[in-house]
Amino acid sequence: MPESTLYINGAWVASSDGAVREIRSPHDNSVVATVSEATAADTRDAIKAARDSFDSGVYASWSMKDRCALVEKVADLIKRDAEILASLETRDTGKRMVETRYDMADIEATFRHFAALGLKLKDRKVDVGADNISSVITHEAVGVCALIGPWNYPLLQISWKVAPALVAGCSFIVKPSELSPSTAIHLMKLLEEAGLPQGVANLICGAGATAGAPLTEDPRVDLVSFTGGLVTGRRIMATAAQTVKKVALELGGKNPHIIFENSNIDAAIDNAVTGAFLHSGQVCSAGTRVLVEKSIHDRVVAEIVRRAKAIYVGGPEDPRTETGPLISKEHLGKVEAYMHDAEKDGATILVGGSRIDREDLNKGWYFPPTVIDNCLSKMKCVQDESFGPIMTIETFESVDEAIALGNDTIYGLSGALWCDDKKIADRVAAALRHGTIWVNDFGPYRPQAEWGGFKASGVGRELGEAGLDEYLEIKHIWTNNKPARSGWFADPS
Ligand code: NAD
C-alpha cells in the first residue's frame, strides 16, 4: 500500500479516488516513491480546512511571540532532519547531496530570519494633527494562502513561503511540484511535531491542472504565492483575477552575465561557468546569457569551452559528479530542441549540444554543458529560458551596448557584471532592470535580502522584509476619543 501523502485538516489521507503517482529518479528513471495524486475535490477539502482554521483563529490569534517561537522550533527540526531532507531531495531531483545539504542550511536560515523579523513588526501611530484622534496602522494575516512550488529547489522555494506565512498567522495549502514532493511531505510532519494546530498547514500532491488549479479559482483563498514558469504564472494571475486574490509570482529569468575587459577575467570565467552549469542550468537565476567585451571574446570563450568540457556529469552517488541530470524526459526534449533552433539561427555550438551517450547514464535525462557562440540578441536560444545547461555568448563594444543587451529580455530576475572600473560598474548595476545584480560576483543571496523579479520575472518579493509583507494585510484603525456629530449635512430638525 502506498503511503497516504495528502495532509488535510491534520490527517494523512489518500486521494479520494485512490489515484497515486510514481515519483521517478531523473538519474535512472527508477521509482523512488509513490504518492497520493489529489483530485480537485481533495484540494477543495484542503481549502476548507485552511479556511475554517483561519476563521476560527486557532492559530492567527496566537501572539507574534508565540508564532515566532514555533517558527524557530521548525528551524530546529529542519536542522535535526537536514540529512533526511537532503537525501529525499537528492532522490527526487538527482542533485548531489553536497548541493541539497546547502539547500537545507539555507532553509533553516530562512525560518530563523522570518522568526526574527516577526518580532520586529510594530504598529505605527499616525499623527493626524488632532489630540482626540488615535490613528494606528496594524498588521494582520492575509488569510488563507495557496503556496505553489517548482521542482528545481523544492523545499527551498516552499520555505520562502511557509516561513513568512507562519509568522504572519496565515493558514495555507502547500502544493509542491508533482515531480519532487517528498520534502514538502516531510515538512508537514515537522510542522505537526512543532505544535502547529490542526488545519493550519495542509498539503496537496498532484498535477497542476487538477490538484493545483482549484487553489487559484476558489474564493476562499486570499493569496496565491507561486514559483514556477512564466506560462503557468500568467495563467494563475488571470485565474486569480476572477476572485481578486492577491498574487505573488516568482517566475523565470534569462539572466545576463556581463564580462568587461577591465575585470578579473579569471574569476569572471570561473563564475560564468558556475552560473550557467550549476544544477545543469535548472536555476531561475542561472547566468546562461554571457555578454563579453569584443576585445577579450576569443580568450574568454576558449577558456569557457575548456572548462565546460571538463565538467563531470553524473549520478548523485558518483563521487566524481559535478552536475547531474535534467528533471524529466520532457524537459530533456525541450532542452534538445534549442540546439536545432540555435543552428537554424546561425549560432555555433562549440561544445555539448546533444544528449550524453554513456552507459551509466543512459536510463536518465542527461544533457552536457553546452556553449553556443556567435549568438545575437534576437535568437530564440538567447531569449528563451531553456532551463538547461546552455550558455549563449554575445559580444558588446561599449558600456551602452552592454546595458542595452543586458536589458533586452522580457525577464528581469538577476544579472551579474565583472568590471574593475567602479564608475562603470555602478552605472551598469543601476541601469540593469533586474531584481538582483551581482557586481564582481555571481549567485549569493541571503534570507535577509529581498529576492524577486522586474518585468515578466514576477510580481512582489520573497525573503528580506518585503517577503513577510506579502502575507500581511495592513489595517488603519482610527479612533475618535471625543465623539461628535460630523455636521456635514444640515439637520432639518
Ligand atoms: P511550472 O510552472 O511547470 O510548475 C510550477 C508549479 O505550478 C508546480 O507545482 C505545478 O504543478 C503547478 N501548476 C501548474 N499548472 C498549474 C495551474 N494551472 N494552477 C496551479 N498550479 C499549477 O514550473 P516548474 O517547471 O516546476 O519550475 C521551473 C520554473 O520555475 C522555471 O521557469 C524557473 O525559472 C522558475 N523558478 C523561479 C524561481 C524564482 O525565484 N523566480 C525559483 C525557482 C524556479
Side-chain angles (χ1 to χ4, degrees), residues 148-152 157 160 175-178 206-209 212-213 216 226-230 232 235-236 250-253 284 385 387 413 451 457:
I148 305 175
W151 50 261
N152 61 335
Q157 300 300 155
W160 291 9
K175 208 313 254 160
S177 166
E178 56 273 40
T216 66
F226 167 79
T227 301
L230 175 59
T232 318
R235 187 173 300 140
I236 285 176
E250 289 290 345
L251 308 178
C284 54
E385 184 195 42
F387 225 52
L413 189 60
W451 178 264
S457 286

Side-chain angles (χ1 to χ4, degrees), residues 253-254 281 288 331 334-335 338 381 383-390:
K254 190 71 198 188
T288 49
H331 189 46
K334 186 185 141 198
V335 169
Y338 282 106
C381 64
Q383 288 296 333
D384 282 18
E385 184 195 42
S386 68
F387 225 52
I390 303 175

Side-chain angles (χ1 to χ4, degrees), residues 280 282 326 328-344 349 352-357 361-362 364-368 370 372 380-381 384-390:
S280 288
Q282 301 170 113
L326 299 181
S328 65
K329 188 177 179 185
E330 293 67 36
H331 189 46
L332 174 64
K334 186 185 141 198
V335 169
E336 276 178 316
Y338 282 106
M339 299 304 105
H340 176 69
D341 292 323
E343 284 181 324
K344 187 172 58 94
I349 300 172
S354 60
R355 171 179 188 167
I356 298 178
D357 183 15
L361 304 184
N362 278 348
W365 320 124
Y366 285 92
F367 198 84
T370 294
I372 310 180
K380 193 169 160 60
C381 64
D384 282 18
E385 184 195 42
S386 68
F387 225 52
I390 303 175

Side-chain angles (χ1 to χ4, degrees), residues 14-64:
S15 164
S16 51
D17 67 0
V20 293
R21 174 187 292 265
E22 289 177 339
I23 307 302
R24 288 178 176 269
S25 161
H27 166 58
D28 60 6
N29 203 28
S30 61
V31 177
V32 294
T34 304
V35 301
S36 310
E37 175 77 10
T39 63
D42 296 328
T43 301
R44 285 192 284 273
D45 285 349
I47 294 170
K48 179 176 185 324
R51 186 77 253 168
D52 289 350
S53 83
F54 184 76
D55 292 344
S56 75
V58 64
Y59 177 65
S61 64
W62 284 22
S63 69
M64 178 59 92

Side-chain angles (χ1 to χ4, degrees), residues 76 92 113 137 178 215 235 244 261 264 276 329 340 343 364 370 375 393 412 479:
D76 293 342
D92 282 5
H113 159 66
I137 305 300
E178 56 273 40
L215 295 169
R235 187 173 300 140
V244 197
E261 180 184 352
N264 182 334
K329 188 177 179 185
H340 176 69
E343 284 181 324
T370 294
C375 292
I393 296 176
T479 306

Side-chain angles (χ1 to χ4, degrees), residues 85-254:
L85 289 162
S87 64
L88 287 172
E89 207 135 278
T90 285
R91 200 186 69 177
D92 282 5
T93 63
K95 221 189 283 185
R96 293 177 303 160
M97 282 291 284
V98 66
E99 292 178 46
T100 51
R101 284 186 187 121
Y102 265 124
D103 296 344
M104 296 314 135
D106 282 358
I107 291 162
E108 181 198 334
T110 298
F111 277 86
R112 298 205 194 282
H113 159 66
F114 280 111
L117 187 64
L119 294 175
K120 289 187 198 148
L121 198 67
K122 296 265 179 299
D123 290 351
R124 180 164 57 92
K125 285 200 169 125
V126 179
D127 183 357
V128 295
D131 291 345
N132 58 319
I133 301 298
S134 142
S135 164
V136 183
I137 305 300
T138 65
H139 303 88
E140 57 189 65
V142 77
V144 172
C145 307
L147 311 179
I148 305 175
W151 50 261
N152 61 335
Y153 287 88
L155 191 59
L156 185 74
Q157 300 300 155
I158 288 291
S159 75
W160 291 9
K161 305 175 191 304
V162 169
L166 284 172
V167 166
C170 297
S171 290
F172 51 86
I173 307 99
V174 171
K175 208 313 254 160
S177 166
E178 56 273 40
L179 300 174
S180 54
S182 301
T183 43
I185 294 169
H186 194 85
L187 177 66
M188 292 298 123
K189 296 176 185 164
L190 300 186
L191 297 180
E192 200 174 59
E193 186 180 343
L196 190 66
Q198 174 186 331
V200 177
N202 301 273
L203 174 78
I204 282 297
C205 303
T210 44
L215 295 169
T216 66
E217 294 158 358
D218 199 299
R220 293 171 293 181
V221 174
D222 299 296
L223 163 80
V224 179
S225 177
F226 167 79
T227 301
L230 175 59
V231 174
T232 318
R234 279 196 187 116
R235 187 173 300 140
I236 285 176
M237 200 170 182
T239 307
Q242 301 309 309
T243 48
V244 197
K245 296 187 195 319
K246 296 190 181 342
V247 177
L249 301 175
E250 289 290 345
L251 308 178
K254 190 71 198 188

